[in-house]
Amino acid sequence: SLAVSPAGVEVNLQLQPASRAVARITSAEQLSMQQLLDVYAANTGMPQDVLDLARGALQELGSRTSEVPNHSHLVLQQVTVEGFGPFRNPVTYPLADRGVVAVTGRNEDDAAAVSNGAGKTSLLTALLWAFKAPDGRGLVSADYVNEDSKKASVTVSGTINGEPFEVVRSVSRSGRSSKSGLTLAVAGQDLTAQEQRLTKQTLQAQFSTSLLPKTLVFTQEDLLALLQVRCLLLLLLLLLLLLLRLRLLL
């Protein structure tokens, strides 16, 4: 405030009290999530009911991720498709000890189509579909059923961290309705839950299925994009070498 008096000017300053800053949590890297939450709650005066809710959320999150290994060694042995896409009859494709596999095809029903419709994309999609991983096609399960079949199924077998596994996913189509199934067995133990969403959660925990589209299968478009990037890098390198040579000549 500012006041004028006969003796001169009188100035009164009124300052707001400084807000108490929350102390930084020291050695936070060495604390678990629960310990970090407790320290934060104590520093901020978090209400007990809010703290209890936060503890419950952390416990639920921990139960979902506690079985996730730091890394997984996934080896595919074979994939069997039946009634899936163009594969009406059972077809088993071996994958064991084959390293990187390039899938080509020939359409024997339509020679003019060359490889179109031979089932290349369907075979690769079957691997992702069985694991309930995104395949980028945006189709519903019933769309994968062969037009001459009532049921589509994909079986993928192999090892995960040295333990044998088998994943079987299926979908039956009847008119406008469909019924799907999903089973999982690891190391001889049936991990199939009563609800598919729970089996899907186990798949995600065991196999990190969300990473499979970019680590298991590479489409023609993916390879072309990779080649384009490589060619661009080579051109930039040649341009750099040319500039260096011109500089030396000058």
Side-chain angles (χ1 to χ4, degrees):
S1 63
L2 177 64
V4 180
S5 64
V9 178
E10 181 182 353
V11 178
N12 294 324
L13 296 178
Q14 296 180 353
L15 302 177
Q16 294 290 338
S19 59
R20 186 182 66 178
V22 178
R24 182 180 183 274
I25 301 176
T26 58
S27 304
E29 294 81 2
Q30 283 74 41
L31 299 178
S32 66
M33 293 297 294
Q34 289 285 357
Q35 292 172 334
L36 194 61
L37 174 62
D38 291 339
V39 174
Y40 177 80
N43 288 349
T44 59
M46 182 183 295
Q48 186 61 42
D49 56 341
V50 177
L51 178 58
D52 292 339
L53 288 174
R55 285 174 175 170
L58 277 181
Q59 289 177 356
E60 182 179 357
L61 179 63
S63 64
R64 294 180 180 180
T65 59
S66 59
E67 297 182 356
V68 179
N70 294 329
H71 65 278
S72 297
H73 184 207
L74 175 63
V75 178
L76 300 180
Q77 300 290 342
Q78 64 181 28
V79 54
T80 300
V81 295
E82 180 178 4
F84 186 88
F87 301 99
R88 182 181 61 181
N89 299 319
V91 174
T92 297
Y93 195 86
L95 296 170
D97 302 322
R98 302 192 65 180
V100 178
V101 178
V103 179
T104 61
R106 182 177 66 255
N107 191 330
E108 296 183 350
D109 296 327
D110 185 2
V114 191
S115 66
N116 293 330
K120 306 185 302 298
T121 301
S122 295
L123 185 61
L124 297 177
T125 300
L127 289 168
L128 300 177
W129 187 79
F131 285 104
K132 276 187 166 287
D135 56 32
R137 303 184 70 180
L139 302 178
V140 298
S141 294
D143 293 336
Y144 291 105
V145 180
N146 181 272
E147 58 183 10
D148 296 324
S149 304
K150 295 183 178 180
K151 179 181 179 180
S153 66
V154 177
T155 302
V156 181
S157 60
T159 61
I160 180 74
N161 297 326
E163 299 288 351
F165 77 88
E166 182 179 81
V167 178
V168 181
R169 186 180 180 188
S170 62
V171 58
S172 300
R173 182 176 58 190
S174 178
R176 296 183 178 181
S177 62
S178 62
K179 182 179 180 180
S180 59
L182 178 66
T183 63
L184 170 64
V186 179
Q189 181 181 1
D190 188 1
L191 300 182
T192 306
Q194 292 184 352
E195 299 182 31
Q196 277 198 42
R197 63 178 184 86
L198 299 178
T199 306
K200 181 181 178 180
Q201 290 177 3
T202 304
L203 273 173
Q204 169 61 28
Q206 293 280 347
F207 297 90
S208 299
T209 53
S210 59
L211 301 177
L212 294 181
K214 293 302 180 184
T215 58
L216 183 63
V217 173
F218 296 93
T219 65
Q220 181 178 351
E221 289 76 14
D222 295 330
L223 295 177
L224 288 176
L226 183 61
L227 290 174
Q228 289 175 355
V229 172
R230 184 175 180 181
C231 291
L232 180 60
L233 291 176
L234 287 175
L235 288 175
L236 291 176
L237 179 59
L238 290 174
L239 180 60
L240 179 59
L241 292 175
L242 179 61
L243 292 175
L244 289 175
R245 184 173 181 181
L246 291 176
R247 184 175 181 181
L248 291 175
L249 292 176
L250 296 177

